[in-house]
Amino acid sequence: MQAKKRYLILLSAGACVLLLSFLGGLQLPAARSRQDRSRTGHRPDQPWPHFSDPLHPFVPWDHTDTEEYNVHVSPRQKRDVNTSVYKGRRCRMDSCFDFSVCQRTGFKVYVYPQQKGDKISESYQNILATIEGSRFYTSDPGQACLFVLSLDTLDRDQLSPQYVHNLKTKVQNLPLWNDGRNHLIFNLYSGTWPDYTEDLGFDIGQAMLAKASISTENFRPNFDVSIPLFSKEHPRTGGERGFLRYNSIPPFRKYMLVFKGKRYLTGIGSDTRNALYHVHNAEDVVLLTTCKHGKDWQKHKDARCDKDNAEYDKYDYKEMLHNSTFCLVPRGRRLGSFRFLEALQAACVPVMLSNGWELPFSEIIDWNTAAVIGDERLLLQIPTTVRSIHQDKILSLRQQTQFLWEAYFSSVEKIVLTTLEIIQDRVLEHSSRSSLMWNSHPGGLFALPQYSGYLGDFPFFYATLGIKPHPKFTAVIHAVSPLVSQSQPILKLLVAVAKSQYCAQIIVLWNCDKALPAKHRWPATSVPVIVIEGENKVMSSRFLPYETIVTDAVLSLDEDTVLSTTEVDFAFTVWQSFPERIVGYPARSHFWDSNKERWGYTSKWTNDYSMVLTGAAIYHRYYHYLYTNYLPSSLKNMVDQLANCEDILMNFLVSAVTKLPPIKVTQKKQYKETMMGQSSRASRWADPDHFAQRQTCMNKFASWFGAMPLVHSQMRLDPVLFKDQVSILRKKYRDIERL
Amino acid sequence: MYTSGKYSSRGPALIPRMKTKHRIYYITLFSVVLLGLIATGMFQFWPHSIESTADWTLDKRSVHDAPLIRLPVSSPIPERGDLSCRMHTCFDVYRCGYNPKNRIKVYIYPLQRFVDELGVPISSTGLSREYNDLLSAISDSDFYTDDITRACLFIPSIDVLNQNSLRIRETAQALAMLPRWDKGMNHLLFNMLPGGPPDYNTALDVPRDRALLAGGGFSTWTYRQGYDVSIPVYSPLSADVEQPEKQPGPRRYFILSSQTAIHREYRAELERLKEENGEALLLLDKCSNLSQGAASARKRCYKGQVYDYPQILQESSFCVVLRGARLGQAALSDVLQAGCVPVILADSYILPFSEVLDWKRASVVIPEEKLSEMYTILKSIPHRQVEEMQRQAHWFWEAYFSSMKAIGLTTLQIINDRIYPYAARTYEQWNNPPVVKWSSVNSPLFLPLIPPRAPGFTAVVLTYDRVESLFRVITEISKVPSLAKLLVVWNNQNKSPPEGEKKFKCPECTAIDGLSLDQTHMVERSECINKFASVFGTMPLKVVEHRADPVLYKDDFPEKLKSFPNIGSL
């Protein structure tokens, strides 16, 4: 027993000694080697040494390049040389684009008239229709900065039925072709089996390409535009929303990574797809390929085909798409594939495996925020890579897919307008969008840089920049009836609004046929009152971006609106929390009338609303700019002719931008009657046609937007102690409760 | 297995039963072992500091000690850079491998002095101060590895920052002699002054195979997007001149031109602008009466009046940065440092670090041809935007321009982001100055989504001991139609939660029910708020005066037609 104990102790002591020597040993060689290194000096594996000797600066003080440069050719000549040298594949805006036309007339796009007998695919029709319906369109080639062909160049695969023959001569015969200068050519497919080159089969000269599946090698940066591959079913306007309805946390779905697609047995584009089975685990990584494509696939079939095909049939593509966190987007025959947009819409984060693909709109979209850019060479690492991505990041990637899908991809219109806006940003470089404007809500199509280059001037970036909107508002009163009595509602309104502590100034927009009243007839107020005579006395003029509006907030008012100072104060404090939305009083709602199969408009008191009328509402002044410059003249003219619906259109616009409902705040109850036109006989609200017109407007607007942008809300914002059983003296906005 | 189990079970009783002699023996043995361990520990700390001082003294070595390498005339020359190179074609990503830290490993070749067969060095300056700074910054960084076999990126110690001081052919030969050159794969060269008279190429003229180039004057025609990195031209003035940071705001001059090497045509254009707009423009040139040298670089003159450079830059809102013979100008760095918004006139120039920096928020780019319209263009920019640009400009300088270290590490980070794109730094990380990072609010749920009602909600009830009120809450809340799940978090470690369905009384609970009225409770909560605010560094809570109610809340309207008739009735 004793001996055993002793052995045991000796053993543990021995272990300790071993541990000790191990620790020491570990340290000593390291220390020794470090010393060795510093002693021997020039061993190749040493960190960069500290040199004691004085070193020369890399550029000597007296070495400016003045002299050489001044004797050199003039800069103008040098620019001309560039223009003549860098052509074809080396085209850039500086060398192949003529800016001078655009500076004269702004960014206008001309579409060649369609010739009889030219067959044009539906997709290309959609592209042309979008341009013709956009605010960039001009029918005068003399005014045009950019030219778009009416010859269908989308499908340049010679084996395709859509292929247009003799394009070369047709293009050369165009009188305005000018070697393609300032021309934009759209293309989805180029080349054909077996090598699918990116050649379009005709000389594009100095024209820009808006092309799908373009490779970085052929892509001319800041000249071409990479567009996504879209199918002929892709809707022209509106488009489906993204599939994400709500965020789930943690953000993991049933599958981690999925793919289902063809595997090519011959020709290019097969390598990556052929190797996918290595990564497939039939559990959370499901990568399926089928050999079935073309008529004679069985001739080329390999040993794996039967097994792969069987596995392929076991899964439903849609089910996988909707239930996977990541979706693999490997290159196909061409670099881009339909999978990309499908994954984006399905909120399945795309994992790109397509080396050398210049991703769609790469010039402006930061794809790292919405996709995982993989490397085909590292296919086997892909599962480890996607698993290593933190769930916070997945949540953010997924939301960004939805933002990008809805902002730039969901319709042909969005794809085309994005392309044009990108080119416009290049042309008007000093008023172009920053990356933040492109990559954050509401996106570049709604954030127009011509309005301001300062992000703080927009309603969307306050939180991101950590700043607040201007602490006051400008009231804009829309006056349509003459000033006859001193007890007219407009004068009461003027006084009440002027008393608001947040009021900076009041603008009276005189849209009345009678002459402007004399200055002294307006009541004396502590804030400046500016009277502007409406130029054409049309409805839309109330939403013009007047330069006199210096505050971020605009309080828009009808002349017969009845509001107290307290109500105005409260509404403004609410708006400060929601600067991108319309905040106001009278609310209305829309509904789908299934009998008539059209949208309906209602002013009934209901439990929800989707519009806040601009007869008494606060919103950001940017929406004046957007209303005037973003909306097509067809809609604005309709509003002006009817002298109606301008408020509905504004609500459509703001909801299309924000994807959120407006905000109704509480009001004194007499307001409704006033709005319905009992106090002012001339009011348009009394007109029986008025209501019917508003139904018509709704449907016209919805068709232009391509979808119904209005969103319902059941919420009203009241002052915190509103109608609570506490002393009225404790309430800040007590006047709102008093009748 | 059986025996060992038996012994270990007896273990604890072992020592007390030993004889004293043995006990002393073992205690001594253990003390020795313990002492040894302590000594080892000490050894780990002491020698370290001794060693590092030794390193310091030993490292004070001269560049002249570097081994001399003689280049044979026939030594191979690399091919000229391949313009089609991209990361997926010319970069060997396998060398970087999978890496849990998502960080590339960078190796620096030891310094060598290359000479031709006649013994003439390949470079007139040898290792420059700036390149030395750059390499030591990299070797001190996390990117560095001293193990050439594990490296993903290789940086030659051959200084090519300034092409003027190089012998092109010999430098190329020297590059090709590097042991891991392998057609330049994964090699990174830093060059700030490319080209030479009379044409001034916009990229380094040294043939370099597939090596990546971090270049300071790329034009759109030489820059391989996604492969090369556009870097600034370092201005040594930044290290020499201490300047207090100037807050954004209106300044004495509107536009300042301070460059000395401006083409006479452009200078004439600027003079014309000055005539039209007078005092708002300050047009400086070099001082004719001063002798050349370091001192003259620090002075600028206008009609005999002398101004200190770069200090004068702080007095202007906008500062012109015009192309010279080269596109990249060191003046850009000085201008940014002064928080002056650069007005860049250099057609086709690829701005420094444009792959990650959003220059639209820090600069104004105007085509050279439109120099005459500069004043009008700048006047149209809102004041608040100018101030934001001033702040942004200074931040860019501080973070990415201020030292060779900043330039070098930014370059490596950009390459790192390409190799591990899913772990890349975000736009906000690159572009937001610290003040914005602190004050901005970026919700993790940023997408405007109105979730459907169908999935309902989960109620989470935190409870300690108040079983009665807990049951009351459960009963009430379970009436709600959209409740999907109810989760009770039992927060009392000393008591088990009550059994599922069984109701039980808890007489002592009611006593604590008035908890929230307790004075000390309120005091504690105030303390919490102060503590949290101090940790957050700011008070993140915001005060609002509104409350959400249903649309028809307390309206004079039939209650049965309201969606939420019971709200507000206690």
Side-chain angles (χ1 to χ4, degrees), chain B residues 327-466:
Chain B
L327 289 168
Q329 295 288 310
L332 177 61
S333 183
D334 300 333
V335 165
L336 293 173
Q337 179 178 17
C340 183
V341 180
V343 182
I344 299 162
L345 295 110
D347 291 358
S348 79
Y349 177 42
I350 304 291
L351 288 168
F353 302 130
S354 57
E355 191 171 332
V356 294
L357 299 188
D358 189 350
W359 280 99
K360 283 178 186 159
R361 285 173 67 188
S363 69
V364 183
V365 177
I366 297 178
E368 289 171 42
E369 212 173 24
K370 287 176 134 192
L371 176 58
S372 57
E373 293 164 45
M374 173 172 69
Y375 188 82
T376 335
I377 292 171
L378 298 181
K379 268 292 173 197
S380 71
I381 300 173
H383 291 292
R384 287 196 291 175
Q385 187 184 355
V386 177
E387 283 177 24
E388 208 214 34
M389 286 170 135
Q390 288 173 338
R391 183 182 65 184
Q392 200 74 8
H394 182 77
W395 150 249
F396 276 3
W397 177 81
E398 200 173 84
Y400 310 113
F401 280 65
S402 56
S403 61
M404 288 305 288
K405 176 181 177 179
I407 295 172
L409 297 186
T410 305
T411 308
L412 294 184
Q413 185 63 46
I414 289 174
I415 295 171
N416 197 83
D417 282 3
R418 292 180 191 158
I419 292 166
Y420 306 104
Y422 44 89
R425 291 184 59 172
T426 62
Y427 172 88
E428 286 77 18
Q429 286 171 324
W430 283 111
N431 289 285
N432 282 358
V435 44
V436 174
K437 277 176 189 147
W438 276 107
S439 57
S440 72
V441 183
N442 286 308
S443 163
L445 302 177
F446 55 82
L447 190 70
L449 269 185
I450 299 179
R453 285 193 213 172
F457 68 92
T458 302
V460 180
V461 186
L462 178 72
T463 187
Y464 178 75
D465 219 355
R466 295 185 287 163

Side-chain angles (χ1 to χ4, degrees), chain B residues 4-109:
Chain B
S4 69
K6 198 166 96 191
Y7 282 115
S8 62
S9 70
R10 283 190 180 191
L14 198 64
I15 292 171
R17 272 191 280 138
M18 280 189 301
K19 285 179 186 161
T20 330
K21 180 172 95 182
H22 285 129
R23 209 182 296 167
I24 290 166
Y25 169 72
Y26 289 123
I27 287 171
T28 326
L29 185 72
F30 277 118
S31 329
V32 168
V33 171
L34 194 70
L35 271 173
L37 275 169
I38 292 169
T40 321
M42 301 267 280
F43 179 73
Q44 285 187 30
F45 289 104
W46 284 109
H48 247 286
S49 46
I50 294 166
E51 199 186 17
S52 58
T53 39
D55 257 358
W56 177 248
T57 45
L58 277 169
D59 257 357
K60 281 214 161 193
R61 283 178 296 107
S62 165
V63 284
H64 303 294
D65 299 340
L68 202 68
I69 310 287
R70 208 171 279 275
L71 297 163
V73 181
S74 58
S75 176
I77 302 174
E79 284 174 24
R80 285 195 65 86
D82 178 358
L83 265 178
S84 68
C85 263
R86 294 294 180 271
M87 293 304 271
H88 67 279
T89 53
C90 294
F91 193 88
D92 180 4
V93 76
Y94 298 114
R95 283 200 176 139
C96 311
Y98 179 75
N99 178 331
K101 278 191 194 157
N102 298 318
R103 193 163 271 277
I104 55 168
K105 286 286 164 205
V106 181
Y107 174 80
I108 303 173
Y109 285 99

Side-chain angles (χ1 to χ4, degrees), chain A residues 445-460:
Chain A
L445 299 190
F446 285 127
L448 306 183
Q450 291 77 30
Y451 161 73
S452 171
Y454 177 54
L455 292 168
D457 282 339
F458 291 85
F460 318 115

Side-chain angles (χ1 to χ4, degrees), chain A residues 4 6 48-50 52-53 56 58 70 74 90 92 377 399 457 464 607 716 718 720 732-733, chain B residues 7 26 59 61-62 91 129-130 132 144 220-221 264-265 384 440-441 444 545 547 549 551 561:
Chain A
K4 275 181 185 168
R6 214 173 296 157
W48 193 253
H50 299 266
S52 54
D53 25 14
H56 294 286
F58 81 109
N70 270 336
S74 98
R90 313 206 64 194
R92 296 292 187 275
R377 292 172 291 178
Q399 293 177 81
D457 282 339
T464 318
N607 282 292
R716 185 182 80 194
D718 296 340
V720 170
K732 183 170 173 188
Y733 299 103
Chain B
Y7 282 115
Y26 289 123
D59 257 357
R61 283 178 296 107
S62 165
F91 193 88
R129 190 165 67 201
E130 285 78 10
N132 179 48
Y144 181 71
T220 175
W221 292 290
R264 57 179 180 276
E265 280 181 24
R384 287 196 291 175
S440 72
V441 183
E545 296 176 334
R547 164 186 94 184
D549 288 324
V551 174
L561 293 179

